[in-house]
Amino acid sequence: QVQLVESGGGLVQAGGSLRLSCAASGSIFRINAMGWYRQAPGKQRELVAAITSGGSTTYADSVKGRFTISRDNAQNTVYLQMNSLKPEDTAVYYCNADVRSNWFERSRDYWGQGTQVTVSS
């Protein structure tokens, strides 16, 4: 089994910054892509940003230029630096990782428990 533990959420004023962290632990042979999703009340979960094991990144249009995703492969950790936050960024943010637990097994998706980010106007 693999566990993803997120931290760094909270309440911030519009224009402020937050940094989310997500550490993976457990039975890990290899982590492929890692990413951050978010879900606002009454809305579907959406991709915010993702990063491959090689460092290639992708972002939702709504966060380009404001958010930066990075990862530390040695620590099995992914980060999301969020700057110039807006009230519409308010959501529960979930960490996701595509993890292979053994060399003979296929990879599978794991999710963190979510961390609340609230941006006040």
Side-chain angles (χ1 to χ4, degrees):
Q1 271 289 34
V2 175
Q3 297 79 40
L4 301 180
V5 178
E6 300 132 335
S7 60
L11 173 64
V12 64
Q13 288 189 333
S17 298
L18 283 174
R19 189 189 194 213
L20 305 183
S21 300
C22 172
S25 62
S27 181
I28 298 172
F29 172 72
R30 179 176 181 168
I31 302 178
N32 298 317
M34 302 183 82
W36 290 94
Y37 289 72
R38 68 186 180 188
Q39 187 167 20
K43 295 189 177 182
Q44 289 189 331
R45 189 174 297 189
E46 62 175 359
L47 174 68
V48 176
I51 184 167
T52 67
S53 58
S56 297
T57 59
T58 186
Y59 295 93
D61 288 342
S62 59
V63 307
K64 282 181 182 177
R66 300 188 298 121
F67 290 11
T68 302
I69 189 170
S70 61
R71 65 189 281 176
D72 182 335
N73 289 331
Q75 299 295 323
N76 293 329
T77 300
V78 63
Y79 305 97
L80 185 68
Q81 177 66 44
M82 305 185 293
N83 298 329
S84 302
L85 282 160
K86 304 175 181 180
E88 50 264 43
D89 294 317
T90 296
V92 178
Y93 283 70
Y94 297 91
C95 174
N96 171 265
D98 181 44
V99 181
R100 195 174 179 186
S101 292
N102 294 287
W103 66 268
F104 52 86
E105 292 183 357
R106 297 178 64 180
S107 63
R108 56 162 289 189
D109 260 359
Y110 291 90
W111 292 90
Q113 79 284 357
T115 185
Q116 178 70 46
V117 171
T118 302
V119 184
S120 63
S121 57

